[in-house]
């Protein structure tokens, strides 16, 4: 059984690890913040990456602490005082639609440019955009694919209608008569998995058919092609949190089914050309880009040095933030070894940008997938918990990567904690 080591929480620090002077400072800070007197004349040198489900909302219900947190983050005119990106593994809608949902839920204006869905970084994979791709998921998958740059898109439903004999599990959908041969249907050159579909059995069957037939599911295959067609998958979350008391299956569960079926049928591993969404580093790199772009748009001159990633899922939010933090540290070390040093008097814009973001700290909240056990001993060596690894197969398990920098009760406490660390009061 794998061990997951939990970090010392901010709450434990307040009650146990802080000295009297630190405790007094924390209580004065919280008291001041509660009275709404936050403010700073200095431009922010930090930004926030907010997960959505389990942090800001639970299904259609807003987490009460979320609106309080964004009141702190906004000025009197309702404008954000700190760059913010909403980083979610959801992908069953358009960015504009998710921005409208967040605007209504949080009581402030959220732009689509502040939202990163699980599939948003696929804009960067231009080498696949001219190919004819099969897309799976729910919501406006075809529109999403075209907005991301894909030119030739085939949906699971279009494939099912073209080859009705492939979808045989639901007897009510089986054709009553043998349909005529399908002609003129394009050869599929890749598969893009946006998120968990509605009819899993149909999607699993047809995706396997496409892989086994090398993109021609209407033909009789002569052998099993390997390597198979390129597969790009978004959102690896095994579980996610809605209104139910227990977590629900996520796209990671669907991928688990697909991988195991493919291996059982072929004896080979299903390979991914790309895995997008948290905890993928490419997703956090894209988030950093949007944070910097937002700061420039607002005219904040100070370079963004630190990111605070707030989430509820240790296996995606915490793992991803810590993985990206390691990436930043490694990049800094490589730059130092290459002789690139920050010299304020002589720094050029290119060097400054390369060295801008220094860290990405993970803050875990207890309003979603993760539940803090108040009975766990406060001694770090006794805070280990036996668990199983819920991350994706292709991400090696490292206990340190699911150890949050801080664990707090909710998103409002997470914002307070970041403000304290930044001395932003």
């Amino acid at each position: 059984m794998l061990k997951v080591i939990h970090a010392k929480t901010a709450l434990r620090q307040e009650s146990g690890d802080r000295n009297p002077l630190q405790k007094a400072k924390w209580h004065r800070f919280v008291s001041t913040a509660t009275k709404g007197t936050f403010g700073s004349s200095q431009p922010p040198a930090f930004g926030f990456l907010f997960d959505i489900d389990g942090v800001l909302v639970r299904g259609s219900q807003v987490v009460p602490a979320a609106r309080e947190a964004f009141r702190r983050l906004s000025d009197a005119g309702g404008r954000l005082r700190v760059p913010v990106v909403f980083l979610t593994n959801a992908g069953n809608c358009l960015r504009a639609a998710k921005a409208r949902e967040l605007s209504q839920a949080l009581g402030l204006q959220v732009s689509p440019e502040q939202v990163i869905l699980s599939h948003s970084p696929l804009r960067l994979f231009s080498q696949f955009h001219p190919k004819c791709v099969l897309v799976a998921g729910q919501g406006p998958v075809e529109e999403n694919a075209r907005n991301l740059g894909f030119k030739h898109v085939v949906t699971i439903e279009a494939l099912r209608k073209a080859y009705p004999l492939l979808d045989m599990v639901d007897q009510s959908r089986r054709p009553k008569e043998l349909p005529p041969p399908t002609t003129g249907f394009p050869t599929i050159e890749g598969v893009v998995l946006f998120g968990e579909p509605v009819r899993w059995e149909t999607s699993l069957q047809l995706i396997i058919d496409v892989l086994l037939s090398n993109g021609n599911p209407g033909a009789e295959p002569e052998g099993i092609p390997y390597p198979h067609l390129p597969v790009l998958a978004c959102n690896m979350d095994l579980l996610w949190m809605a209104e139910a008391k227990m977590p629900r299956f996520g796209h990671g569960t669907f991928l688990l089914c697909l991988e195991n079926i493919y291996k059982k049928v072929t004896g080979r591993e299903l390979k991914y050309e790309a895995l997008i969404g948290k905890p993928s580093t490419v997703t956090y790199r894209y988030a950093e880009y949007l944070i910097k772009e937002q700061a420039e748009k607002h005219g904040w001159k100070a370079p963004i040095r630190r990111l605070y990633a707030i989430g509820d899922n240790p296996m995606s939010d915490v793992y991803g933030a810590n993985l990206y933090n390691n990436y930043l540290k490694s990049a800094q070390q490589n730059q130092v070894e290459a002789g690139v040093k920050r010299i304020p008097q002589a720094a050029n814009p290119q060097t400054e940008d390369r060295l801008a973001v220094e860290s990405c700290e993970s803050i875990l909240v207890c309003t979603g997938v993760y539940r803090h056990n108040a009975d766990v001993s406060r001694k770090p060596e006794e805070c280990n918990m036996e668990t199983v690894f819920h991350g994706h197969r292709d991400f090696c398990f490292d206990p340190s990567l699911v150890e949050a920098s801080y664990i707090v009760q909710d998103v409002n406490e997470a914002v307070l904690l970041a403000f304290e660390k930044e001395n932003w009061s």
Side-chain angles (χ1 to χ4, degrees):
M1 190 76 75
L2 298 169
K3 291 183 181 292
V4 175
I5 305 172
H6 287 273
K8 293 180 180 180
T9 72
L11 299 179
R12 290 181 204 150
Q13 287 177 339
E14 177 187 352
S15 60
D17 292 344
R18 295 173 184 261
N19 61 39
L21 182 61
Q22 288 175 315
K23 289 182 182 179
K25 179 183 177 183
W26 174 258
H27 286 297
R28 285 197 305 271
F29 179 84
V30 173
S31 176
T32 301
T34 305
K35 293 176 183 176
T37 57
F38 264 120
S40 175
S41 59
Q42 298 298 318
F46 63 103
F48 287 100
L49 309 180
F50 288 100
D51 180 40
I52 298 176
D53 292 298
V55 175
L56 305 178
V57 299
R58 290 277 299 270
S60 60
Q61 303 299 311
V62 181
V63 174
R67 286 190 171 175
E68 182 63 25
F70 277 87
R71 278 194 288 269
R72 301 192 192 288
L73 288 166
S74 306
D75 62 18
R79 295 178 297 272
L80 287 169
R81 300 183 294 125
V82 178
V84 165
V85 162
F86 300 93
L87 186 59
T88 176
N89 266 352
N92 59 350
C93 63
L94 301 172
R95 289 174 81 187
K98 182 60 71 175
R100 286 193 297 271
E101 288 178 16
L102 288 168
S103 297
Q104 184 175 4
L106 302 175
L108 78 159
Q109 188 61 41
V110 176
S111 72
E113 290 72 28
Q114 290 176 282
V115 177
I116 297 181
L117 302 174
S118 60
H119 50 67
S120 296
L122 285 178
R123 295 176 183 275
L124 307 175
F125 289 77
S126 56
Q127 68 271 33
F128 296 104
H129 292 171
K131 296 181 181 293
C132 179
V133 295
L134 175 69
V135 295
Q138 55 183 293
V141 289
E142 186 172 5
E143 187 176 358
N144 270 327
R146 296 192 186 282
N147 286 344
L148 291 166
F150 292 96
K151 307 300 182 186
H152 307 286
V153 180
V154 175
T155 64
I156 291 288
E157 185 61 20
L159 183 62
R160 187 188 75 82
K161 288 182 177 179
Y163 300 102
L165 294 179
L166 299 180
D167 187 22
M168 298 296 284
V169 173
D170 186 346
Q171 296 189 28
S172 67
R173 301 214 300 183
R174 293 181 183 179
K176 305 302 184 214
E177 299 178 358
L178 193 65
T182 300
T183 59
F185 199 82
T187 298
I188 293 170
E189 301 171 281
V191 178
V192 180
L193 307 175
F194 280 117
E196 62 270 22
V198 175
R199 286 179 172 265
W200 285 31
E201 78 284 356
T202 296
S203 292
L204 289 169
Q205 178 71 76
L206 269 61
I207 292 167
I208 294 292
D209 289 338
V210 165
L211 296 178
L212 296 183
S213 65
N214 209 31
N216 295 283
E220 184 175 344
E222 297 179 358
I224 298 175
Y226 200 83
H228 54 69
L229 295 174
V231 178
L232 298 90
C234 314
N235 179 2
M236 295 157 274
D237 286 354
L238 188 76
L239 304 170
W240 68 288
M241 203 70 185
E243 293 95 338
K245 302 298 183 184
M246 298 174 64
R248 303 293 83 199
F249 290 158
H251 192 216
T253 308
F254 177 82
L255 296 180
L256 185 64
C257 294
L258 181 66
E259 293 156 9
N260 281 279
I261 293 170
Y262 183 84
K263 186 171 184 178
K264 193 72 173 179
V265 171
T266 68
R268 297 176 179 269
E269 293 282 354
L270 179 73
K271 302 291 186 181
Y272 295 96
E273 197 72 28
L275 286 166
I276 307 299
K278 296 177 289 188
S280 171
T281 299
V282 68
T283 294
Y284 286 83
R285 189 75 181 93
Y286 189 53
E288 179 191 333
Y289 168 77
L290 292 184
I291 285 282
K292 290 179 180 178
E293 193 177 59
Q294 194 178 141
E296 291 174 4
K297 182 179 178 181
H298 283 79
W300 294 322
K301 301 300 183 182
I304 301 301
R305 300 295 189 199
R306 292 163 296 280
L307 300 176
Y308 295 93
I310 302 171
D312 70 305
N313 192 330
M315 297 299 180
S316 58
D317 301 315
V318 172
Y319 194 107
N322 290 343
L323 192 65
Y324 194 59
N325 189 59
N326 287 352
Y327 165 82
L328 292 172
K329 299 300 183 187
S330 177
Q332 291 168 22
Q333 183 62 35
N334 291 340
Q335 289 168 11
V336 169
E337 291 175 357
V340 180
K341 299 180 181 179
R342 186 183 300 118
I343 305 175
Q345 295 85 350
N348 59 56
Q350 183 179 1
T351 301
E352 187 67 18
D353 180 68
R354 287 173 67 191
L355 294 171
V357 174
E358 300 170 347
S359 65
C360 180
E361 294 203 54
S362 54
I363 305 179
L364 184 63
V365 300
C366 305
T367 51
V369 171
Y370 176 79
R371 284 286 192 272
H372 175 58
N373 184 358
D375 297 327
V376 173
S377 168
R378 290 177 183 171
K379 295 180 180 180
E381 64 272 17
E382 297 178 8
C383 289
N384 294 351
M385 183 179 69
E386 297 287 340
T387 187
V388 293
F389 179 47
H390 286 178
H392 188 268
R393 173 201 72 185
D394 290 357
F395 284 76
C396 296
F397 179 65
D398 180 348
S400 68
L401 293 180
V402 291
E403 182 180 345
S405 302
Y406 302 94
I407 304 176
V408 296
Q409 183 57 41
D410 54 41
V411 64
N412 187 42
E413 289 193 10
V415 169
L416 285 172
L417 175 65
F419 279 7
E420 183 200 26
K421 288 179 60 64
E422 296 293 327
N423 196 26
W424 233 57
S425 62

